[in-house]
Amino acid sequence: MEIAVFFTDFNNNCICLICQETVGVYKEFNVKRHYQTKHAQAHDKLTGAERADKIKQLETILSSQQQFFVRVRQGNENATKANYEVAELIAKHGKPLAEGEFIKDCVMKIVENICPEKRQDFANMCLARNTVARRVEDISSDIKRQLGDKGDRFEYFSLACDESTDVSDTAQLLIFLRGVDTDMNITEELLDLQSIKGQTRGADLFESVCSAVDNMKLPWNKVSGIITDGAPAMVGERSGLATLICNKVNENGGDAIKLHCIIHQQVLCAKHLKFDHVMKPVIKTINTIRSKALYHRQFQQFLHDIQAEYGDVLYHTDGQPMDELTDSTWLTDLAFLVDITKQLNALNVSLQGKDAVISQLYAHIRAFKTKLHLFHRHLLQAEPNTTHFPALHGVLESLPPDNVHAQMEKYADAISALMEEFNVRFRDFVTIEQDLALFSSPFSVNPDDVPPHLQLELIELQCDNAERNKHQQLSPVDFYRQLDKGRYTQMRTFAKRMLSLFGSTRLLGSRFIQTTGAAENMIPVQREESTASADMCKLFSQH
């Protein structure tokens, strides 16, 4: 057909090589009529090799033209894609929208020096403030659309809420959603950011959450739980947000549980450890060193000279006389505080992993409570065991022998009080502890201790050695995902509900700290105090 009538098939279109017109219906009669009426007089004289060369020449021209348009289109698409990606980075890192122009200026300087031939490609990018704002809005709308599509497939979802005040004194309510679909794919995303005018009572927060859920058309009977911080408006027994949400779910035929953020509770427990007579002198010295640049530089050099573990401190130094440095009892109190705070910090870090399942987070809490019992027993032994208290062990010999047991009893009492605080604050998790145990260790629980609708399937599961081996090798999500849908229907449903639960509101603060300051209440202040205590203890040991 090409040689006879100068037509070719290009991208599923029948195109004339001579005039580059496209025939609507690809039929032999149509292409012959086109050639005879428009080109036959000029091209019939071409025959044999001459005609073939002409066709090849016309094909090359057509291909070059098409490739030019493809390159232009591809370049425009790449520039638009880069625009969106830069806008996303600006928004994600909480930078001003006007930063786009600064970024472009920087990129242009790099391009001019490294690959000047690409200058025009980069110059075509528009990163003006208004453009970046529109891109961010487009990204937000697309994420919301995707979330709506996923929401239709959720089997269960839970909510995490945190209210804080931004720099303009406007109350902002962050509402996050964690949903699980039929295939146990987990989605964690911001559901809404609501600005609240006037009061921030539980009823006001509840109205905002209802608006966010209803706007996304999510069914209330699929809400598995709500997790909040410890503010009265959030956890009030009668009119708190969590209570109102649970009542709303019950009214719609569902069953939701309310939980207090694990990390927030852990930080509150840490604050219960009162050693003000130790911390106040330390903090006073901290402020003194940070008040003058010279003191700070001298302190950094001193730490370097003594090869201290830390090369700097957040807010302290040894910048003024301290009578406490000669008090052996005070030094041992400081050493104990250093050690126990280090343990609390390690717990805090373990609770901040990404995509952690609630059962894994609570396992860290249970492990820490068991460690506290161990510490308590060790300190009360006839010969106190300070294996897990290295700082205390290093200064213990400075104590008078007749004062050692009294000090150990004081520290044991402090640990006992800390244990009680953990028990009180985590009582909401105790109510679901049996479910957490079943989810994390289905082969270890007694079938008599689980709900009746799960008992028969659990027995089947426990007697399946192949599934037992898979449970040891796979993550909880992957293990329950691979369970046979027909054989373990109830167990899979139970697993989806557990997987949908948030363990903490840390996600809210970490992702939106620049915008709302929501993480302020979640940052563990004990981390800063631990660094201070550790460095001070090193200084004192050199004294």
Side-chain angles (χ1 to χ4, degrees), residues 523-534:
I523 297 175
V525 295
Q526 288 292 341
R527 181 189 301 277
E528 182 173 312
E529 293 174 356
S530 172
T531 305
S533 300

Side-chain angles (χ1 to χ4, degrees), residues 4 47-48 87 103 119-120 159 172 179 186 205-206 305 346 370 393 420 485 492-493 495 502 515 519 539 543:
T47 59
I103 293 173
R119 187 183 186 285
Q120 190 57 45
L159 302 169
Q172 304 283 3
I186 301 173
L205 302 178
F206 175 68
D305 293 342
T370 303
H393 181 80
E420 181 60 27
K485 295 181 180 180
R492 284 176 57 88
T493 301
F502 273 106
T515 306
L539 288 177
H543 216 274

Side-chain angles (χ1 to χ4, degrees), residues 159-166 169-177 189-213 220 226-229 231 233-235 240-242 245 505 508-509 512 515-518:
L159 302 169
C161 300
D162 185 38
E163 180 266 323
S164 63
T165 304
D166 63 16
D169 291 332
T170 301
Q172 304 283 3
L173 179 65
L174 281 166
I175 309 169
F176 262 76
L177 172 147
E189 192 53 74
L190 175 69
L191 178 61
D192 207 348
L193 173 61
Q194 297 253 348
S195 299
I196 302 175
K197 310 297 182 182
Q199 294 181 301
T200 55
R201 301 166 301 179
D204 302 311
L205 302 178
F206 175 68
E207 183 179 343
S208 296
V209 174
C210 287
S211 173
V213 174
W220 283 97
I226 176 170
I227 187 165
T228 63
D229 60 20
M234 294 284 189
V235 298
L241 172 63
I245 292 292
T505 59
L508 283 67
F512 288 88
T515 306
T516 67

